[in-house]
C-alpha cells in the first residue's frame, strides 16, 4: 500500500520538472529597425466604386398611427365568472 502511495506522489512530481526545464525564447540575432515614416502617393491612382447603402437617411421620429395590435385586451371577465358560478352549483 505504501508503495502505491509513493508511486502516486512521485509520478506527478516527475512530470512537473519537465515543465520547469523549458527554455526562454531566444532573442533575434539582429534588432528589427522600422522606418520613422511612410509616404504614400495616391495622385496617379484612379479609384472607382459604388455606394452600398440607402440613397437617403430618414432622421426623426416615426409615427405609430398605423399600428394595430394583434391581441385584443379584455376589460372584463363577467361571462367566465357567471359560468363558474353555475359550475359550482
Amino acid at each position: 500500500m505504501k508503495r502505491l502511495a509513493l508511486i502516486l506522489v512521485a509520478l506527478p512530481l516527475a512530470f512537473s520538472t519537465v515543465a520547469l526545464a523549458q527554455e526562454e525564447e531566444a532573442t533575434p540575432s539582429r534588432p528589427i529597425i522600422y522606418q520613422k515614416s511612410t509616404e504614400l502617393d495616391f495622385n496617379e491612382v484612379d479609384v472607382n466604386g459604388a455606394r452600398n447603402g440607402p440613397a437617403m437617411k430618414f432622421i426623426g421620429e416615426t409615427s405609430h398611427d398605423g399600428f394595430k395590435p394583434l391581441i385584443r385586451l379584455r376589460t372584463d371577465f363577467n361571462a367566465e365568472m357567471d359560468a363558474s358560478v353555475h359550475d359550482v352549483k
Side-chain angles (χ1 to χ4, degrees):
M1 189 69 166
K2 288 184 180 181
R3 187 177 225 178
L4 180 62
L6 181 63
I7 291 172
L8 290 177
V9 171
L11 194 62
L13 290 176
F15 287 115
S16 66
T17 57
V18 174
L20 296 175
Q22 293 177 351
E23 294 182 16
E24 295 182 6
E25 292 184 20
T27 57
S29 59
R30 59 181 189 173
I32 299 172
I33 300 173
Y34 295 102
Q35 296 177 353
K36 289 187 178 182
S37 64
T38 303
E39 185 176 326
L40 300 174
D41 185 20
F42 290 106
N43 289 334
E44 297 181 14
V45 176
D46 186 20
V47 178
N48 293 323
R51 183 175 183 193
N52 294 335
M56 64 179 183
K57 294 182 180 179
F58 179 74
I59 299 175
E61 294 184 27
T62 58
S63 62
H64 298 286
D65 296 335
F67 178 76
K68 293 182 181 179
L70 299 175
I71 300 172
R72 183 176 57 96
L73 298 176
R74 297 179 62 172
T75 57
D76 58 36
F77 293 89
N78 292 335
E80 285 81 4
M81 291 175 69
D82 289 338
S84 67
V85 169
H86 295 298
D87 291 338
V88 174
K89 289 182 183 181

